[in-house]
Amino acid sequence: MGKHGAAHIVWDWNGTLFHDNEAIIGATNAAFAELGIEPITLEQYRALYCVPVPKFYERLIGRLPTDAEWEAMDDVFHRYYAEHRVACSLATGAVELLMGWRSAGRSQSILSMYVHDELVPLVRGFGIEQHFIRVDGRTGPSGGSKAEHMVRHLGSLTGVEARRTVVIGDAADDAVAARHAGAQAVLYTGGSHSRASLEGVGAPVVDTLEEAVAEAERLAA
């Protein structure tokens, strides 16, 4: 893997390879309770979610949270999520797609905004770590864009060219990050964003990971 000039996929984790929608919405509503915000449904979340995350809260309460409010909500979110992620599983067909891409001699990696020290053992626990040439999670503050992280991630991969790299993710920010790093993107409707909120980004939008991989193969050809 990682042969010079070969097609490469950068996978997002939460909401893409890892089907954790229920844990995410539960953690979000637990965080909202800190400010007395009414709980929202998954459909509302998928219609309104955006990065940076404080802007998402602004859409709901009409103002940006204060630094103290953000820290309190972020802490509650991550504590709730850590407790409930254990009930979540990989997306349907993910393992077969990872095996197929790798067996075709192509490379793939993970870049997630989930904290690095928790992401790596989680990926390892699903028995899929061997399919990736690198697994990177977030090492700095939470809530921001993936763009600069994407630049660093691609820069760390030997033999991977940005122009033949396709980011597969479930959020508009995945496409923004890909574009920032000179890569392309395919957006998947099974995670944090609705199809309507993804279609204005300018990247192909698909409903299954199988379609996402097929589109990535076409884009990177």
Side-chain angles (χ1 to χ4, degrees):
M1 293 196 300
K3 293 184 290 186
H4 184 73
H8 180 82
I9 289 176
V10 177
W11 291 94
D12 174 55
W13 180 248
N14 302 96
T16 304
L17 285 176
F18 189 43
H19 187 66
D20 60 351
N21 290 350
E22 295 304 319
I24 290 285
I25 191 63
T28 297
N29 283 329
F32 284 176
E34 287 292 296
L35 290 191
I37 305 172
E38 289 295 314
I40 62 173
T41 65
L42 179 59
E43 290 71 26
Q44 289 171 315
Y45 178 91
R46 283 163 43 82
L48 295 171
Y49 180 75
C50 64
V51 172
V53 178
K55 295 289 288 184
F56 169 51
Y57 295 142
E58 183 181 30
R59 290 182 174 186
L60 290 160
I61 64 175
R63 63 174 177 83
L64 286 170
T66 66
D67 289 346
E69 287 172 338
W70 163 250
E71 290 177 14
M73 294 170 77
D74 193 48
D75 179 65
V76 169
F77 177 94
H78 284 97
R79 277 194 283 110
Y80 183 102
Y81 180 81
E83 293 171 5
H84 290 80
R85 74 180 188 198
V86 295
C88 302
S89 59
L90 294 177
T92 302
V95 173
E96 292 77 12
L97 291 169
L98 295 174
M99 291 175 62
W101 187 263
R102 182 186 180 203
S103 65
R106 306 183 184 104
S107 61
Q108 54 199 331
S109 59
I110 292 175
L111 175 61
S112 172
M113 296 302 281
Y114 190 47
V115 63
H116 181 79
D117 289 344
E118 296 185 31
L119 172 67
V120 172
L122 189 54
V123 172
R124 188 174 296 143
F126 280 111
I128 57 174
E129 186 181 23
Q130 72 274 16
H131 298 306
F132 306 104
I133 60 173
R134 189 175 180 92
V135 175
D136 280 337
R138 175 178 54 79
T139 55
S142 65
S145 172
K146 189 181 276 188
E148 293 302 326
H149 297 271
M150 186 67 70
V151 172
R152 289 194 295 272
H153 180 76
L154 291 183
S156 71
L157 303 178
T158 302
V160 171
E161 298 178 31
R163 66 181 183 86
R164 297 208 62 202
T165 295
V166 179
V167 177
I168 297 179
D170 68 315
D173 189 55
D174 289 303
V176 172
R179 192 176 302 122
H180 185 72
Q184 301 183 79
V186 178
L187 299 179
Y188 163 61
T189 63
S192 64
H193 281 39
S194 66
R195 172 175 277 277
S197 63
L198 292 175
E199 287 183 332
V201 183
V205 178
V206 299
D207 296 319
T208 68
L209 292 185
E210 185 176 10
E211 292 174 286
V213 170
E215 186 67 13
E217 186 170 10
R218 184 189 69 81
L219 290 172

